[in-house]
């Protein structure tokens, strides 16, 4: 484990925890298995199946972020991360193995940070291809509240272009 990188991830996240350790080690595995480097744009894509602490490590270490469109949230509630390299079309799905760990968070975290990667993760072939690059949609003004929303989120209600919030009212 790279202690200095771990400390920087902790500073970015705000505290140490087992969840951050899971994301940290998943990134380590992805870097090793796919020979990844920091993604300045959309060279690397991560599809995360959770919105937990480990995703902060993914953002900090790999450069995959929601803002750039190369961090995609696929809500499955699993400690699973799929990484892709656009230049080689390679991908790997990294899934935390099932554990009966103690309720001692510090011991669990230390185990996650120091155990061999093959002991804590299953490595699988992704069942889907590389997601398309991020799309930039024009903004449309909602004819009810006046706020702007991305064109793909606009709905029609009684002949008016409306945002999702106003559509639901």
């Amino acid at each position: 484990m790279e202690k200095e990188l771990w400390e920087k991830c902790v500073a970015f996240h705000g505290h140490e925890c087992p969840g951050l350790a899971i994301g940290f080690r998943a990134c380590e595995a992805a870097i090793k298995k796919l020979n990844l480097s920091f993604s300045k744009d959309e060279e690397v894509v991560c599809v995360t199946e959770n919105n937990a602490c480990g995703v902060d490590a993914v953002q900090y270490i790999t450069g995959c972020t929601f803002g750039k469109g190369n961090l995609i949230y696929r809500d499955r509630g699993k400690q699973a991360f799929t990484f892709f390299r656009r230049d080689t079309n390679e991908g790997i799905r990294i899934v935390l193995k099932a554990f009966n760990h103690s309720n001692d968070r510090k011991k669990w975290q230390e185990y996650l940070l120091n155990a061999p990667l093959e002991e804590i993760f299953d490595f699988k072939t992704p069942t889907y291809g590389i997601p398309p690059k991020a799309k930039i949609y024009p903004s449309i003004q909602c004819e009810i509240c006046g706020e702007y929303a991305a064109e793909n989120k606009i709905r029609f209600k009684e002949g008016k272009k409306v945002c999702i919030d106003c559509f639901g009212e």
Side-chain angles (χ1 to χ4, degrees), residues 59-87:
Q59 292 181 96
Y60 187 81
I61 295 170
T62 68
C64 294
T65 67
F66 290 113
K68 284 191 292 202
N70 63 338
L71 178 59
I72 297 165
Y73 177 46
R74 186 172 185 240
D75 189 4
R76 299 295 187 269
K78 297 178 181 180
Q79 287 292 347
F81 307 89
T82 302
F83 292 89
F84 294 100
R85 279 185 60 161
R86 288 196 189 280
D87 63 345

Side-chain angles (χ1 to χ4, degrees), residues 150-164:
E151 181 181 52
N152 66 321
K153 301 298 180 185
I154 292 291
R155 305 290 183 262
F156 283 96
K157 181 177 184 177
E158 298 169 2
K160 293 181 179 178
K161 294 176 189 172
V162 300
C163 67
I164 291 174

Side-chain angles (χ1 to χ4, degrees), residues 6 9 17-29 53-58 61-62 79 81 83 112 121:
W6 169 249
C9 278
C17 64
L20 186 65
I22 293 166
F24 183 85
R25 295 303 304 281
C27 291
E28 180 184 344
C53 299
V55 180
D56 281 355
V58 170
I61 295 170
T62 68
Q79 287 292 347
F81 307 89
F83 292 89
L112 290 166
F121 293 116

Side-chain angles (χ1 to χ4, degrees), residues 74-109:
R74 186 172 185 240
D75 189 4
R76 299 295 187 269
K78 297 178 181 180
Q79 287 292 347
F81 307 89
T82 302
F83 292 89
F84 294 100
R85 279 185 60 161
R86 288 196 189 280
D87 63 345
T88 62
N89 290 320
E90 294 176 283
I92 190 165
R93 185 164 181 259
I94 301 169
V95 184
L96 183 70
K97 290 183 179 182
F99 287 97
N100 273 333
H101 60 85
S102 71
N103 288 332
D104 185 331
R105 288 173 54 88
K106 190 67 177 165
K107 278 185 185 175
W108 174 228
Q109 178 182 307

